Amino acid sequence: MNGSAIDPAILLPAFAAGLLVLATHVPLGAEVLRKGIVFIDLAIAQIAALGVILAGLMEVDPHGWQVQAAAAVAALAGAALLVWTERRWPEVQEAQIGVVFVLAATAGILLLAKNPHGGEHLRDLLTGQILWVGYPQLVVPAIATLLVGAFLWRIAALPRSAFYLLFAIAVTVSVQLVGVYLVFATLIVPALGVRGYRAERRLPLAYAIGAAGYGSGLVLSAAVDLPSGALIVWCLAILAALAHAMAPKRGAERPVNAAR
């Protein structure tokens, strides 16, 4: 273990990036779980990553606005496609989301097949490079977080098409900060860990799991020199499992309206 590698100048911007992702993804993930469309996050994130790959093939600046635009257009197109498939064949929407994910993932593999650095680029898109995020890269995500956050207070009342649109905007930003795998873990794992608690306690506990998972994963990554994205995923999963294990047994906590 290398304690000298734990540099706050590196860890703090990365942790700030994690908090921005958590701000929108925790409530979005709870709604995804409630709606039963768990794989929408993987599908939209993979489509956004496909947009990044296409932008890279056009040799644009990897840190320029064109990459953000390509990811946004791809994610919004994917969201529009899923809205259309749900209206046309609602009974098999989850299966359709899975098919869209597989098609986007394999399209990325095909596009990068002849790129000498394709494997490395694909790995970065999947696992992310959060440990190397700097404060300047957080300006656009912070603005997007504020825009998405303005609608989260009534997320349950949004029509499915508006939810998909909101989801696409949030994922477009986060996939470039933390990668596809961590986007999925941030959305789903905290929501799974708190499902045994009363409704009013779930969101604060999910945020706590997320913040602790990102913080511990980043510190471990710096200390033992292992990929940060993968370690954060495991930290989130372990903390969520512990939270679920400590949840009140069924019937131990009375529902809010049980006293009536």
Side-chain angles (χ1 to χ4, degrees):
M1 182 174 289
N2 183 10
S4 62
I6 304 176
D7 185 355
I10 295 176
L11 296 184
L12 290 178
F15 186 61
L19 293 180
L20 282 177
V21 173
L22 285 165
T24 55
H25 285 42
V26 167
L28 284 172
E31 189 64 15
V32 161
L33 210 59
R34 189 185 72 81
K35 291 179 182 294
I37 47 173
V38 174
F39 291 108
I40 185 178
D41 44 1
L42 271 178
I44 297 294
Q46 192 66 59
I47 293 170
L50 184 60
V52 174
I53 291 172
L54 288 169
L57 292 176
M58 292 185 285
E59 299 183 351
V60 302
D61 179 4
H63 301 295
W65 65 268
Q66 295 95 334
V67 176
Q68 293 278 356
V73 169
L76 292 171
L81 174 63
L82 292 176
V83 170
W84 179 76
T85 58
E86 184 176 35
R87 289 175 178 171
R88 190 74 184 269
W89 304 287
E91 70 281 2
V92 289
Q93 178 67 351
E94 186 73 354
Q96 291 171 140
I97 291 172
V99 171
V100 169
F101 163 72
V102 169
L103 289 173
T106 50
I109 292 172
L110 291 172
L111 288 172
L112 291 172
K114 295 186 178 181
N115 185 325
H117 304 290
E120 182 181 350
H121 188 42
L122 190 61
R123 184 194 64 195
D124 289 345
L125 284 171
L126 292 175
T127 61
Q129 291 290 309
I130 187 175
L131 203 58
W132 307 116
V133 169
Y135 287 121
Q137 293 171 257
L138 301 181
V139 175
V140 172
I143 294 171
T145 297
L146 290 173
L147 291 174
V148 173
F151 295 93
L152 289 179
W153 66 276
R154 60 184 305 271
I155 187 172
L158 290 176
R160 191 66 69 95
S161 57
F163 175 75
Y164 282 170
L165 176 63
L166 200 67
F167 196 91
I169 294 171
V171 169
T172 295
V173 175
S174 61
V175 76
Q176 295 178 73
L177 284 177
V178 301
V180 174
Y181 293 154
L182 198 43
V183 166
F184 178 80
T186 306
L187 283 159
I188 299 303
V189 172
L192 283 174
V194 302
R195 70 189 189 279
Y197 292 85
R198 292 171 62 171
E200 66 271 19
R201 297 184 61 190
R202 290 175 189 167
L203 199 59
L205 282 171
Y207 276 123
I209 290 169
Y214 270 86
S216 57
L218 286 168
V219 170
L220 282 173
S221 174
V224 301
D225 193 24
L226 285 175
S228 51
L231 272 176
I232 295 170
V233 169
W234 273 90
C235 288
L236 286 171
I238 291 169
L239 290 169
L242 290 173
H244 179 66
M246 293 186 292
K249 293 182 180 180
R250 186 170 296 179
E253 285 200 7
R254 300 172 65 193
V256 175
N257 59 353
R260 295 181 180 179

